Amino acid sequence: MLKKIKTEDLVLGMYFCGFEAAWLDHPFWKNKFLLKNEADLRQAHGSGIEHCWIDPERGLDVAEAAAEAGPDEAAAPAEPSPELPPGPDIDTTLMEAEALRENAKKATKAMFSEARLGKALDMERCVTVVEEIAGAVLQSPNGTLSVLRLKLADEYTYLHSVAVCALMVALGRTLGLDEKACREAGLGGFLHDVGKAF
């Protein structure tokens, strides 16, 4: 069960499950992850967002965090986290990119179908797809972009939207845009062709 806490109470070891704010307002690409990086913790504390959600079953709870820190350590600054291990090998990256491509294609087909039927788009699903694409592009741009740009004739429109999303994120990073602007560019790229449904 998720628990709502003050963002200032977040500590390393908690399983972060999102801010109580609009997706475009928060500083992270992912909505859910184990908080183990000091830079991520500083980013959360500096976000200006008052509340967030944690999953105490997958990470520390507020009471556990306070008990682990002890009275003297609670106020002490955390030590810097060790360097992250090198990224995944190319085979793993390509397999993950292919799985992402298939999931994104399904979500895009559903989006076009909803538009064709005059239904409102499921923006939460769109944003989730964009988050996954953006995270993959930032972690391994070359492998991810090469897989996401592959298009077969019968699925061109759907995968074109996925590829444009990835390229917009990559372009934003190349131009030095911040992460929020990259996410917005990716979302624009993903939705740019939805009018074709009509």
Side-chain angles (χ1 to χ4, degrees):
M1 179 171 286
L2 299 185
K3 178 186 268 189
K4 180 178 169 182
I5 66 168
K6 289 187 175 182
T7 302
E8 65 190 37
D9 292 337
L10 271 175
V11 297
L12 296 178
M14 289 182 169
Y15 195 86
F16 176 82
C17 291
F19 288 106
E20 190 175 63
W23 174 78
L24 289 174
D25 293 336
H26 76 72
F28 300 130
W29 288 100
K30 294 182 181 178
N31 273 335
K32 298 177 181 181
F33 60 94
L34 182 63
L35 197 53
K36 56 186 176 181
N37 185 312
E38 185 66 36
D40 287 340
L41 183 61
R42 281 195 303 271
Q43 209 169 6
H45 287 165
S47 68
I49 301 170
E50 192 171 349
H51 291 96
C52 64
W53 297 89
I54 62 168
D55 185 344
E57 293 178 5
R58 297 178 73 181
L60 292 178
D61 198 348
V62 177
E64 293 171 328
E68 279 193 14
D72 295 332
E73 296 175 36
E79 293 181 22
S81 57
E83 284 188 29
L84 295 174
D89 63 34
I90 191 66
D91 290 337
T92 304
T93 298
L94 292 177
M95 286 188 334
E96 289 173 353
E98 286 174 11
L100 172 61
R101 177 178 179 262
E102 288 309 304
N103 288 338
K105 181 178 72 176
K106 288 176 188 171
T108 309
K109 281 185 175 182
M111 175 183 71
F112 273 74
S113 179
E114 289 166 359
R116 224 180 341 271
L117 295 172
K119 296 180 180 176
L121 296 182
D122 181 351
M123 287 305 293
E124 189 173 325
R125 186 173 187 190
C126 292
V127 165
T128 299
V129 170
V130 171
E131 276 186 1
E132 290 172 358
I133 292 170
V137 168
L138 292 175
Q139 185 177 14
S140 179
N142 294 337
T144 303
L145 286 173
S146 64
V147 171
L148 293 182
R149 293 174 69 191
L150 292 174
K151 303 177 192 78
L152 301 176
D154 62 335
E155 54 192 22
Y156 178 86
T157 297
Y158 307 119
L159 289 176
H160 175 68
S161 294
V162 172
V164 172
C165 171
L167 291 169
M168 292 296 287
V169 172
L171 177 63
R173 293 295 278 188
T174 301
L175 295 174
L177 300 179
D178 63 22
E179 291 188 8
K180 180 179 178 184
C182 288
R183 286 195 301 260
E184 289 174 346
L187 187 58
F190 185 63
L191 297 174
H192 85 284
D193 257 350
V194 74
K196 282 187 177 181
F198 299 104

